[in-house]
Amino acid sequence: MPHASVADSDAEDDLVVEVTDLRVHFPIRRGVLGRTVGQVYAVDGVSFHIRKAETLGLVGESGSGKSTLGRAVLRLISTTSGKILLGNTDITHLSDEEMRFRRKDIQIVFQDPYSALNPRLTLGASVAEPLVVQGLTDRKMLEQELGLLFNRVGLPAEARRGFPHQYSGGQRQRIGIARALALKPSLIVCDEPVSSLDVSIQAQIINLLGALQDELGISFLFIAHDLAVVEHISHRIAVMYLGKIVECGRTADIFKNPRHPYTRALIEAAPVTDPAARRRKRKVLAGEVPSPINPPSGCNFHTRCPLAMDRCRREKPVLREVAPEHTAACHLIDPAENFAP
Amino acid sequence: MNGAINPSFDEVHGAAGSDRPLLDVSNLHVHFRLGSRLVRAANGVSFQVRSGETLAILGESGSGKTVTMEAILGVLESPPGHVTNGRAIFAGQDLLSMPASERRRLCGRRIAMVFQDPMSSLNPVYTVGWQIAEMFRIHLGATRSAARREAIRLLKRVGIPDASERVNNYPHQFSGGMRQRVVLAMALAARPEVIIADEPTTALDVTVEAQILQLLKELQAVEGIGLLLITHSMGVVAEIADRVMVMYAGRVVETGTVNDIFARPKHFYTRGLLNSDVQIGRAGQQLTPIPGQPPDLARIPAGCAFHMRCPAASERCRSETPQLRTIRTRHLSACHHADQVV
């Protein structure tokens, strides 16, 4: 559960990561000569920051570019333009060699813990690998460190000797988290870490991530499509649509006063676990996310927006502040007044 | 009727009137023999589906919900899977004891299936129109042109724009949500009485999931189909189910109306699921997960399979397997301490 006190401290030097105008475009190549015939605008001008011990939730549907963004921040894929500041270091153009020394500061937890673990390595060896790579080779210290890590994620130390297939999805995700924690990173990118887990196990992992943040002061970039999970764990939320952040703000503001029609549609579409509140005729957003190869003209969302005007088809809206710490990119928003459809 | 321990079928499954169930499954046991391990995936599952109602089977992975469906439809991988006991009565016949060819004829037409991954039901090398039309030709003996006309009508029915052109497209030319609509069109083609849908919206984005759920609900209400919906999502259940059957470790642990299950659960497992479900608007509340892991189905603990994770487990729960019993009208629970669930 996010603790407001941490996120509210507004010391600017507390920034763990700051991303400015990041773009990741993938060329589409055709033919024997591999000529570039187009671009996939996976991430298209995204800026955000994350403070110490803060969780930024990144929500969006498939094709929104949220996972690409997460991988770009980790420098797992190269960026087309923009800047990534990790602490005070600009890592955007670091060589692989230089990046290796910075990797310990920024780690990732994947959606599917099974494919993220080597089936032939014991869990202990998987978790120890990053430590060994970074130079911790003393057998005794390594064992001690592993014991602490396993404990920290709620697994018995004996699990070190087990193999991934002997453990359930939830337990494997704990291993994935232990591995990410091993190098004491300042930021962990969590890419859909609970979406493949059963309901009862999801809650265990969500609580674990919250506890780790409280204890260790880690920051999370939490990528998920499940709005409820993101609301639960995030201090702030960024909503992505087709490569762009369309709204960003404190969690409570996003849910109580969503300003972008897409954010509203997402909240409206989320299933409510209360049959008594079953909406006979709920407003369901029509259509699907368009292709990022040929994004629509003007506002990316205009093809599905119930409120689209002529201007939306022509002119790209920019993110602007609609309230303190709350930005949205929609032509309908006049900063002076509340936007009501 | 005194059925506190061994309730009759009507009592278990809430037959209020004389309307006969479309599908009546009783005492289904499915076991898998894997080397020396005997995995007990379904252990005495009973339920009924009536026309025009949606019964949701809610359970986590390994609860036996999918295996139950596979056994009924005869698509269980066998070996290693075996139906060791049980009946599934549909249209007066037992699906489990009839020859495969006969079952195929019956199931294809009168029971339709919708799976999580639409591509598993679609053939990538034929146009969607051809595949929907095939249903009419095979099951209803329609002519080519009539079948094609019907295919277009159905594509329109499930909300595919430009249906008369899209009918010539191949599955890969559709998005995930549109493919699931195509599968629904196929399912509807032979005018089935029952649709069995296994996690039909799990692979879809939330906005598309909402569209598909709305469509399912509408089609079912208009056509009077009995819908058996298998899901792990509490949200989906709350959205479209009339009745809910909760499964754990291959057993039915609770059944009731959707309102009773969510508002007044009578099994600690159901309570635990509700407490651990993350919901919008409750960000300030602590989540209470169910501790531990579901049991290994080759080593289901004695007594109540849930006792090791249950906050109310007593000595009795460790030794005596609780049977489903009536707690209230149309509400049954297999918990020794059902009255303590709050």
Side-chain angles (χ1 to χ4, degrees):
Chain A
M1 191 174 314
H3 292 271
S5 54
V6 194
D8 283 351
S9 72
D10 54 1
E12 287 298 322
D13 45 335
D14 263 5
L15 291 190
V16 169
V17 69
E18 187 175 17
V19 169
T20 316
D21 201 26
L22 193 72
R23 282 166 212 272
V24 182
H25 298 171
F26 297 110
I28 305 167
R29 296 183 203 282
R30 286 272 159 73
V32 274
L33 300 175
R35 271 186 313 130
T36 302
V37 294
Q39 300 278 338
V40 179
Y41 301 93
V43 176
D44 202 23
V46 165
S47 304
F48 66 86
H49 61 267
I50 305 176
R51 303 187 189 92
K52 186 169 163 49
E54 185 186 44
T55 301
L56 176 69
L58 190 59
V59 282
E61 297 181 273
S62 37
S64 63
K66 56 191 193 302
S67 288
T68 306
L69 177 58
R71 282 166 170 69
V73 171
L74 282 156
R75 287 284 320 275
L76 292 177
I77 50 179
S78 54
T79 55
T80 309
S81 68
K83 194 164 97 172
I84 307 163
L85 273 181
L86 184 61
N88 296 317
T89 319
D90 183 348
I91 62 165
T92 328
H93 303 289
L94 289 187
S95 68
D96 288 353
E97 184 65 18
E98 292 167 312
M99 194 58 212
R100 190 181 319 159
F101 294 103
R102 300 294 307 188
R103 283 249 189 262
K104 62 179 191 299
D105 282 342
I106 176 167
Q107 293 286 318
I108 185 166
V109 173
F110 293 99
Q111 170 174 0
D112 178 4
Y114 197 62
S115 59
L117 294 171
N118 185 335
R120 289 160 173 271
L121 287 186
T122 62
L123 299 182
S126 274
V127 176
E129 199 175 28
L131 292 166
V132 174
V133 169
Q134 294 286 340
L136 179 71
T137 46
D138 182 274
R139 185 92 208 143
K140 215 165 150 198
M141 280 172 69
L142 202 57
E143 285 294 322
Q144 197 181 350
E145 192 62 33
L146 283 181
L148 285 174
L149 281 166
F150 274 66
N151 247 318
R152 184 146 260 162
V153 297
L155 286 175
E158 303 80 64
R160 290 205 303 275
R161 284 180 273 281
F163 287 90
H165 73 266
Q166 296 168 310
Y167 290 85
S168 67
Q171 289 166 319
R172 288 199 286 254
Q173 195 55 290
R174 288 176 192 270
I175 295 296
I177 293 169
R179 189 175 148 101
L181 285 177
L183 297 171
K184 304 188 170 60
S186 52
L187 175 71
I188 297 182
V189 176
C190 303
D191 192 357
E192 301 273 11
V194 299
S195 51
S196 65
L197 304 177
D198 277 321
V199 179
S200 70
I201 308 298
Q202 267 191 9
Q204 292 179 2
I205 299 296
I206 291 171
N207 284 354
L208 173 65
L209 288 173
L212 290 172
Q213 183 165 63
D214 289 348
E215 273 172 55
L216 308 171
I218 302 174
S219 307
F220 292 120
L221 175 60
F222 192 92
I223 302 168
H225 70 281
D226 184 333
L227 225 53
V229 169
V230 169
E231 182 194 21
H232 200 89
I233 203 161
S234 311
H235 300 98
R236 287 187 302 124
I237 290 176
V239 181
M240 265 187 102
Y241 189 76
L242 221 57
K244 291 182 188 297
I245 289 179
V246 296
E247 183 162 5
C248 184
R250 285 192 284 245
T251 303
D253 295 338
I254 293 283
F255 279 88
K256 291 215 181 74
N257 193 12
R259 305 298 294 274
H260 197 285
Y262 180 61
T263 313
R264 293 180 172 204
L266 272 185
I267 296 173
E268 183 71 29
V272 180
T273 316
D274 180 6
R278 204 181 274 188
R279 290 151 294 183
R280 282 284 154 237
K281 271 196 178 165
R282 67 177 186 179
K283 280 175 277 171
V284 171
L285 186 64
E288 294 173 37
V289 183
S291 155
I293 298 171
N294 284 309
S297 63
C299 173
N300 278 342
F301 187 57
H302 88 250
T303 53
R304 301 174 75 192
C305 184
L307 308 170
M309 319 172 287
D310 223 24
R311 187 181 171 198
C312 308
R313 285 178 264 277
R314 284 180 279 114
E315 194 184 320
K316 290 220 179 291
V318 290
L319 265 182
R320 53 179 169 182
E321 191 155 66
V322 292
E325 279 233 61
H326 191 169
T327 55
C330 177
H331 289 312
L332 281 158
I333 299 166
D334 191 317
E337 56 186 291
N338 260 6
F339 148 57
Chain B
M1 193 182 299
N2 180 12
I5 303 297
N6 286 312
S8 77
F9 257 90
D10 276 5
E11 217 180 349
V12 172
H13 299 286
S18 60
D19 55 333
R20 293 172 57 81
L22 288 169
L23 178 65
D24 184 345
V25 175
S26 57
N27 199 29
L28 181 72
H29 289 257
V30 181
H31 293 172
F32 287 80
R33 165 88 46 204
L34 299 170
S36 60
R37 284 156 47 89
L38 182 67
V39 176
R40 297 167 199 276
N43 305 298
V45 176
S46 302
F47 61 89
Q48 299 177 316
V49 183
R50 294 190 155 68
S51 69
E53 82 162 353
T54 300
L55 171 66
I57 304 186
L58 177 67
E60 300 183 278
S61 32
S63 62
K65 55 190 194 303
T66 294
V67 159
T68 297
M69 174 211 68
E70 288 177 346
I72 297 168
L73 293 172
V75 294
L76 188 70
E77 205 176 313
S78 177
H82 295 284
V83 176
T84 55
N85 200 352
R87 287 181 313 162
I89 307 294
F90 177 74
Q93 290 164 283
D94 184 5
L95 295 172
L96 301 180
S97 60
M98 68 172 62
S101 59
E102 205 174 316
R103 172 155 63 187
R104 229 174 2 247
R105 209 161 34 239
L106 196 62
C107 284
R109 200 167 81 70
R110 300 174 66 179
I111 303 179
M113 305 164 241
V114 176
F115 296 103
Q116 175 175 345
D117 175 11
M119 277 316 278
S120 65
S121 315
L122 294 170
N123 188 327
V125 302
Y126 292 107
T127 64
V128 300
W130 191 92
Q131 295 181 61
I132 299 169
E134 186 182 33
M135 298 295 292
F136 291 105
R137 294 203 309 273
I138 290 177
H139 291 299
L140 305 174
T143 63
R144 271 186 116 81
S145 58
R148 188 185 150 84
R149 269 197 310 278
E150 278 299 291
I152 295 172
R153 184 186 66 81
L154 278 173
L155 285 177
K156 279 191 188 135
R157 180 85 183 83
V158 296
I160 291 189
D162 309 321
S164 46
E165 275 148 50
R166 296 291 263 167
V167 74
N168 297 319
N169 286 165
Y170 291 88
H172 76 268
Q173 292 168 299
F174 290 83
S175 65
M178 285 293 160
R179 278 181 207 147
Q180 201 59 297
R181 286 173 193 267
V182 170
V183 170
L184 279 178
M186 272 171 70
L188 289 172
R191 296 192 153 269
E193 290 146 72
V194 176
I195 294 183
I196 300 182
D198 189 2
E199 305 272 7
T201 59
T202 305
L204 306 175
D205 278 319
V206 277
T207 60
V208 181
E209 171 174 71
Q211 295 167 7
I212 297 289
L213 286 180
Q214 208 167 55
L215 177 65
L216 258 177
K217 196 156 53 169
E218 182 214 314
L219 291 174
Q220 186 233 11
V222 172
E223 319 276 337
I225 295 166
L227 177 63
L228 179 60
L229 178 82
I230 295 163
T231 182
H232 71 282
S233 160
M234 317 277 276
V236 169
V237 172
E239 202 69 50
I240 74 169
D242 299 314
R243 289 191 303 122
V244 185
M245 171 170 121
V246 184
M247 287 188 72
Y248 187 77
R251 281 178 184 278
V252 179
V253 295
E254 184 169 6
T255 82
T257 63
V258 68
N259 286 320
D260 279 345
I261 293 288
F262 281 82
R264 294 167 288 276
K266 287 291 166 198
H267 196 288
F268 279 96
Y269 175 61
T270 315
R271 178 78 267 168
L273 279 182
L274 288 167
N275 286 348
S276 50
D277 190 43
V278 192
Q279 289 188 48
I280 285 180
R282 300 210 189 146
Q285 294 172 24
Q286 184 73 40
L287 290 177
T288 321
I290 301 175
Q293 316 286 334
D296 179 348
L297 294 178
R299 274 175 288 169
I300 299 176
C304 172
F306 187 60
H307 82 250
M308 292 189 302
R309 306 173 72 189
C310 182
S314 66
E315 203 44 61
R316 187 176 172 207
C317 305
R318 282 179 268 275
S319 54
E320 187 187 328
T321 305
Q323 302 299 317
L324 268 183
R325 61 192 170 103
T326 304
I327 307 293
R328 266 195 308 270
T329 325
R330 312 191 64 185
H331 193 168
L332 289 97
S333 162
C335 174
H336 290 313
H337 306 296
D339 52 326
Q340 289 172 28
V341 185
V342 281

